Amino acid sequence: MSKLLPTLFLMTVFLIAWLVLYAHQRNERKKRELPLREDFLASQGKSVPACHACGKDELKDDGLASGNDEQRIVSCVSCNTLLYRYERAPEPEPAS
Ligand SMILES: [Zn+2]
């Protein structure tokens, strides 16, 4: 019994770590599979993007890998539904 408890604890820790990693990777894959902006607008039949889950047009965009990534992922501010992605033109080099 005295050795079973630490083993169980370690297995639980590994299981939780695996679940967190799995959820993260699934989310990343979903982001990469999002439609491009043009395809999203065409599929919604609208000229201005809006959330297809709640209808709000307040959207936010985040970088795919990091905050400054040129691949932008757009999601809804109020319900967090992932909507579409687009590629931002790279920012010009700061003049030195
Ligand atoms: Zn929404």
Side-chain angles (χ1 to χ4, degrees), residues 35-91:
L36 288 169
R37 190 175 195 273
E38 300 82 56
D39 297 333
F40 175 80
L41 287 175
S43 72
Q44 299 296 305
K46 289 173 187 157
S47 57
V48 181
C51 176
H52 53 68
C54 70
K56 300 249 169 68
D57 58 359
E58 245 182 286
L59 310 175
K60 62 175 180 213
D61 67 297
D62 292 307
L64 178 61
S66 66
N68 275 325
D69 201 327
E70 279 142 31
Q71 291 278 342
R72 311 301 295 173
I73 302 297
V74 179
S75 57
C76 175
V77 169
S78 52
C79 73
N80 270 325
T81 304
L82 295 171
L83 299 173
Y84 61 87
R85 64 192 165 90
Y86 71 95
E87 199 163 322
R88 186 174 60 186
E91 275 169 40

Side-chain angles (χ1 to χ4, degrees), residues 13 15 20 28 31-34 41 44 52-53 63 65 81 85 87 89-90 93 96:
V13 168
L15 185 71
V20 168
E28 288 297 300
K31 283 182 189 173
R32 281 167 217 272
E33 284 168 356
L34 282 173
L41 287 175
Q44 299 296 305
H52 53 68
T81 304
R85 64 192 165 90
E87 199 163 322
E93 295 279 314
S96 54

Side-chain angles (χ1 to χ4, degrees), residues 5-16:
L5 225 60
T7 310
L8 267 179
F9 172 74
L10 275 177
M11 281 172 72
T12 311
V13 168
F14 276 117
L15 185 71
I16 290 171

Side-chain angles (χ1 to χ4, degrees), residues 22-32 82:
Y22 178 77
H24 177 74
Q25 288 198 326
R26 222 177 75 148
N27 201 31
E28 288 297 300
R29 198 165 52 234
K30 259 165 73 181
K31 283 182 189 173
R32 281 167 217 272
L82 295 171

